[in-house]
Amino acid sequence: GQQVMQIPQYQHVQEGEDFTTYCNSSTTLSNIQWYKQRPGGHPVFLIQLVKSGEVKKQKRLTFQFGEAKKNSSLHITATQTTDVGTYFCAGNDMRFGAGTRLTVKP
Amino acid sequence: GAVVSQHPSRVICKSGTSVKIECRSLDFQATTMFWYRQFPKKSLMLMATSNEGSKATYEQGVEKDKFLINHASLTLSTLTVTSAHPEDSSFYICSASTDGTTNEKLFFGSGTQLSVL
């Protein structure tokens, strides 16, 4: 099956700084999904990207899907302490990337 | 949004016993459910895809006789960890999509923390 690689594994930022996590697939994806898991919680769906080159925004979060539909990114502008958690991408076969754990220092 | 209920949330059992975990879709029919395993601070590892009325599809390396999956109705899938051992201790979590395909977002249960003594 496809393999989705995600980097970085960890990211620690000062509150107000930006944050980006990247996912790369060895094969072309029909779609990619992003989830957030708070410490002690379960993954919660954030967004799905389907179209080549697609960009979607949710307040301070910007999601991009590459032109070749093999990579994607999640960018958070001006992080807040409420952004703490692990962000996962998932390819269309429901396999998840390793996740990026974000910690935010107030 | 759709709700997936998973029970129990936490279970402690003795080595050699079997444990059943239930996953229910409360307000939608889930023809397909997915079972994951998650180790502390690690990613979700897909164990199997559960299809209503048919045999589950297991990922490579997952023992089907060890992790029995039953999806007898459109709203219930169960995972039974048979003859549990300490190395089976983990966080197990189920998910379902509202239309049963891989093109729809997943709704996750709250997970089950299994501890085998």
Side-chain angles (χ1 to χ4, degrees):
Chain A
Q2 70 184 48
Q3 188 172 9
V4 178
M5 308 298 293
Q6 188 173 357
I7 57 170
Q9 190 174 1
Y10 304 97
Q11 186 78 58
H12 178 70
V13 300
Q14 189 77 37
E15 188 173 22
E17 293 181 339
D18 293 353
F19 159 77
T20 306
T21 174
Y22 302 89
C23 275
N24 291 286
S25 170
S26 55
T27 59
T28 301
L29 302 169
S30 61
N31 68 76
I32 193 163
Q33 300 176 1
W34 286 92
Y35 294 81
K36 177 183 179 181
Q37 184 177 24
R38 294 181 182 273
H42 60 275
V44 174
F45 175 84
L46 293 177
I47 208 160
Q48 176 175 271
L49 303 173
V50 179
K51 298 177 182 177
S52 170
E54 188 170 17
V55 178
K56 287 188 176 180
K57 291 190 176 184
Q58 290 179 350
K59 297 183 179 179
R60 294 178 294 105
L61 277 62
T62 302
F63 303 84
Q64 293 188 340
F65 201 10
E67 294 290 340
K69 299 181 73 173
K70 287 186 175 183
N71 56 75
S72 181
S73 65
L74 158 59
H75 179 81
I76 302 178
T77 303
T79 56
Q80 300 176 358
T81 55
T82 53
D83 295 325
V84 166
T86 302
Y87 294 84
F88 294 99
C89 60
N92 46 276
D93 67 352
M94 301 310 186
R95 291 185 177 87
F96 281 67
T100 297
R101 188 165 359 130
L102 173 65
T103 55
V104 180
K105 184 177 181 181
Chain B
V3 177
V4 175
S5 175
Q6 187 172 343
H7 178 81
S9 58
R10 185 178 296 272
V11 58
I12 301 172
C13 69
K14 293 182 179 180
S15 185
T17 60
S18 294
V19 174
K20 180 184 282 188
I21 301 170
E22 293 187 347
C23 183
R24 295 179 183 273
S25 56
L26 296 186
D27 50 2
F28 67 100
Q29 293 183 333
T31 55
T32 303
M33 289 187 176
F34 304 91
W35 287 94
Y36 294 86
R37 183 175 182 177
Q38 187 175 34
F39 292 102
K41 299 182 180 180
K42 297 295 183 181
S43 185
L44 295 95
M45 182 190 79
L46 181 64
M47 298 176 65
T49 301
S50 169
N51 300 295
E52 188 268 335
S54 65
K55 292 183 178 181
T57 302
Y58 289 82
E59 294 297 300
Q60 190 174 6
V62 178
E63 300 177 58
K64 61 180 181 181
D65 295 329
K66 173 74 172 177
F67 299 99
L68 299 178
I69 291 174
N70 184 280
H71 196 156
S73 77
L74 288 171
T75 59
L76 174 64
S77 177
T78 61
L79 167 67
T80 301
V81 183
T82 62
S83 187
H85 291 283
E87 58 265 29
D88 298 324
S89 298
S90 187
F91 188 64
Y92 294 88
I93 191 164
C94 67
S95 69
S97 62
T98 53
D99 75 349
T101 73
T102 58
N103 293 318
E104 285 293 317
K105 61 183 177 183
L106 295 178
F107 295 94
F108 281 84
S110 54
T112 298
Q113 184 63 54
L114 171 63
S115 299
V116 184
L117 305 178

